[in-house]
Amino acid sequence: MATGVLGLGSSGSTGLNQELIDKLKAAERKARVEPIETRISNISSVEKGKEGEQYTLEAIKSKVSSLMGKVDVFDVYNLGSNVFSQVSASSTGSSVAFDAETPSGLEEGTRSVVVGQMAQKDIYQTNPFSSKDAALSSAGSFTIKVGAADAQTITITEGMKLSDLATTIENLTGISAGVEQVGENSYRLIVKGEATGTSNALTITDISNGSSQLGLNTAGNKISAAQNLIAKIDGVNYNMASNTITTADGLKINAISVDSGVTITDGAISAFASSSSLTIAKDTTSVKTAITDFVDAYNEVVTIINDELYNAESKMEDTSSLRSILGSLKNMLFDNYGADHPVFGSQKDEYGDTVYKHSNVTNNDKNIFSYGFSFDTNGKLVVDSTELESAIANNSENLKAIFSGSIENAGIGSRFKEYLNEQLNFSTGLLYLYDTNIASRLETLNSEKDKAQTALDDKYSFLSEQFSSYTAIITQMENSFSGLKMMIQQSTSGN
């Protein structure tokens, strides 16, 4: 039991007074500050099982972004990797390598290729020299002509180094040159045409002790003769300067080696024992995978949003925006697509011109429900695998019209991508606005919390000072009373 007046006097009662103040402060904090902290936690908590509104919104945005990624392969503007344009390729043989910058543009079918002769360039070598910097014995000159081009003159000065001559030739048009070590203390100047084919053959003509002193006109020093590629592609004979042939649809055929058993008659292949081939076909497997991936991603969005819409304990405040997003996506799935010749309605833009886009097409006649798609009782998209495979095999153009469409009559992929991108990244998008709203609310709540905590701290700091002052006054009074009490006691004891 505290001694002194009201328990505030001496006898060590100061600690008890602070304890009382702390209890009062804690009680008031519970009423004024903690409700704000709870609201902040409901927004920002990342604790497992107690995830806040912000955490849930980020999870929803992640699923929406994933769905947007899955529909990208259907986007009509995605020409390079639209899944309906993808092809599969298989090849046989080893005489050629196949390549294409845009595989989706290749014609379907099998190409057969026979290589009878590889294109090659002219290659000459000089007589051997003891060093790459060996000095040439005398002055002279000669010319080198590339195909039908004008002859180019090379002048040799007395004592000129072999390496310097190589540099001079290297600087000519259509010719390359360099000094190579070919043995112990043995070097040769190698002169090559830069391009293959007979049209790029080199003609070396001595003027005055030029190429002759080097040995370039010696028959044995011409080590490779320019010749054309002789090949047969799908029965058509080719006689080309290059080892690469590019067909009209963009297929690059690079000759690597000569096929076996080839007979060449009058510059064309007349018989062969082996060949190479390339088979191009529509990649139906990728189409099925892309559609099922889209269905899965759509259902994940449905699930995560429905979990909040039908959860009484959900912390999501703006459920109307989430409901609106689901409704818009479902409406797009229920819509018709793919008119072969779109007829545009009366919708006009701000300039009075007809709107040439899907929203203004009046004769779309295809929808996903004709090809094995349906909704279950939870609003999830379901696709019958057998019906889908049949549609891909027999109605791929209709599926392409539904999922990809055209620039003026966009399909599901393009419309989903445009809509979802707007919701996530545009200032008018529902998810973008929701994110902004959360940030604003958090800023306001944190400000309110700081103000409430500061007011509480100031109030009880003042009370502590007041209690301290009261303690000093009462202690002084107690001391005075104690002295008076002693005087009375002494007076009574003397009687």
Side-chain angles (χ1 to χ4, degrees):
M1 179 175 179
T3 59
V5 180
L6 300 178
L8 298 177
S10 55
S11 307
S13 60
T14 303
L16 178 59
N17 300 331
Q18 188 60 49
E19 181 182 354
L20 175 61
I21 292 171
D22 289 344
K23 287 181 178 179
L24 291 171
K25 182 178 180 180
E28 188 167 350
R29 188 182 192 284
K30 190 171 185 178
R32 295 182 59 185
V33 179
E34 289 186 10
I36 302 176
E37 289 179 332
T38 298
R39 292 170 64 190
I40 292 173
S41 178
N42 285 342
I43 294 175
S44 60
S45 173
V46 295
E47 182 180 349
K48 187 172 179 60
K50 298 181 180 180
E51 293 86 352
E53 184 180 12
Q54 192 173 44
Y55 179 94
T56 304
L57 180 61
E58 287 303 315
I60 291 172
K61 287 167 59 181
S62 176
K63 295 297 184 183
V64 169
S65 293
S66 177
L67 175 58
M68 188 166 69
K70 296 302 181 183
V71 299
D72 186 59
V73 295
F74 304 122
D75 186 6
V76 67
Y77 294 99
N78 196 357
L79 300 178
S81 58
N82 186 295
V83 70
F84 287 101
S85 300
Q86 298 305 298
V87 296
S88 62
S90 59
S91 63
T92 63
S94 58
S95 60
V96 297
F98 299 99
D99 192 14
E101 290 186 6
T102 310
S104 59
L106 298 178
E107 295 178 3
E108 294 181 51
T110 300
R111 319 269 179 105
S112 176
V113 182
V114 181
V115 178
Q117 175 179 288
M118 297 286 292
Q120 61 187 33
K121 61 184 69 173
D122 266 342
I123 302 176
Y124 291 82
Q125 65 179 10
T126 65
N127 294 328
F129 291 83
S130 62
S131 164
K132 68 177 182 177
D133 290 325
L136 300 179
S137 58
S138 61
S141 62
F142 64 99
T143 63
I144 302 179
K145 184 179 180 181
V146 180
D150 292 338
Q152 303 172 82
T153 301
I154 300 97
T155 300
I156 302 173
T157 58
E158 186 176 348
M160 187 178 194
K161 294 179 180 178
L162 186 65
S163 58
D164 291 337
L165 176 59
T167 300
T168 298
I169 299 174
E170 176 71 20
N171 290 332
L172 300 178
T173 301
I175 306 167
S176 65
V179 178
E180 300 286 346
Q181 183 173 4
V182 295
E184 188 72 25
N185 298 320
S186 181
Y187 296 80
R188 291 178 187 265
L189 170 61
I190 309 298
V191 179
K192 303 177 182 179
E194 286 186 343
T196 57
T198 56
S199 60
N200 297 300
L202 303 182
T203 303
I204 300 176
T205 304
D206 191 50
I207 296 176
S208 174
N209 195 31
S211 56
S212 58
Q213 70 168 300
L214 299 170
L216 289 173
N217 296 110
T218 302
N221 280 341
K222 184 174 184 178
I223 56 179
S224 175
Q227 65 184 30
N228 283 352
L229 167 71
I230 296 177
K232 187 186 288 286
I233 302 176
D234 291 341
V236 178
N237 285 297
Y238 288 77
N239 194 312
M240 309 284 289
S242 171
N243 282 315
T244 299
I245 298 173
T246 302
T247 62
D249 61 350
L251 176 64
K252 290 184 178 180
I253 303 173
N254 301 300
I256 298 173
S257 61
V258 174
D259 281 299
S260 62
V262 173
T263 300
I264 297 175
T265 305
D266 296 329
I269 296 174
S270 55
F272 58 91
S274 68
S275 63
S276 297
S277 69
L278 175 70
T279 300
I280 301 294
K282 287 293 185 184
D283 189 357
T284 57
T285 301
S286 293
V287 173
K288 181 180 179 182
T289 299
I291 290 176
T292 53
D293 284 350
F294 158 71
V295 170
D296 291 342
Y298 172 80
N299 288 338
E300 287 180 5
V301 171
V302 171
T303 298
I304 195 170
I305 291 181
N306 279 344
D307 284 348
E308 300 305 320
L309 294 180
Y310 302 106
N311 179 6
E313 297 180 358
S314 172
K315 298 182 176 70
M316 305 302 287
E317 288 196 3
D318 188 7
T319 54
S320 62
S321 289
L322 302 181
R323 198 182 305 275
S324 176
I325 289 171
L326 274 190
S328 295
L329 294 178
K330 185 169 288 189
N331 286 340
M332 282 185 249
L333 291 174
F334 273 108
D335 211 347
N336 285 337
Y337 296 88
D340 293 331
H341 303 286
V343 174
F344 295 94
S346 59
Q347 186 180 350
K348 307 291 183 181
D349 61 20
E350 59 183 313
Y351 304 106
D353 297 323
T354 299
V355 173
Y356 291 101
K357 64 183 202 178
H358 181 276
S359 61
N360 198 29
V361 175
T362 62
N363 63 331
N364 280 324
D365 55 358
K366 304 174 184 70
N367 63 69
I368 61 173
F369 304 107
S370 300
Y371 301 100
F373 291 84
S374 61
F375 282 104
D376 67 14
T377 55
N378 295 314
K380 292 184 179 180
L381 194 58
V382 179
V383 59
D384 183 282
S385 180
T386 302
E387 289 190 44
L388 177 61
E389 289 175 0
S390 175
I392 293 172
N394 304 309
N395 294 289
S396 62
E397 288 304 312
N398 286 351
L399 284 179
K400 181 178 180 181
I402 291 171
F403 281 93
S404 292
S406 60
I407 291 181
E408 68 274 10
N409 192 17
I412 288 173
S414 299
R415 292 182 66 195
F416 261 54
K417 183 178 178 180
E418 180 181 7
Y419 176 77
L420 295 175
N421 185 47
E422 179 182 344
Q423 306 317 307
L424 285 168
N425 301 314
F426 284 63
S427 59
T428 55
L430 295 177
L431 295 176
Y432 183 96
L433 290 172
Y434 199 159
D435 220 356
T436 303
N437 176 264
I438 283 179
S440 177
R441 281 190 282 135
L442 272 178
E443 184 179 2
T444 300
L445 287 172
N446 280 310
S447 176
E448 290 177 1
K449 174 193 167 186
D450 291 343
K451 289 178 181 178
Q453 186 65 58
T454 299
L456 197 65
D457 291 341
D458 290 346
K459 176 180 178 179
Y460 283 91
S461 175
F462 175 75
L463 285 178
S464 292
E465 292 175 2
Q466 289 294 95
F467 269 55
S468 178
S469 298
Y470 294 155
T471 297
I473 295 170
I474 293 171
T475 299
Q476 185 178 8
M477 292 173 63
E478 286 179 340
N479 289 337
S480 297
F481 178 76
S482 177
L484 178 60
K485 182 178 180 181
M486 287 178 62
M487 290 174 62
I488 295 171
Q489 286 176 344
Q490 288 174 358
S491 169
T492 33
S493 65
N495 292 331

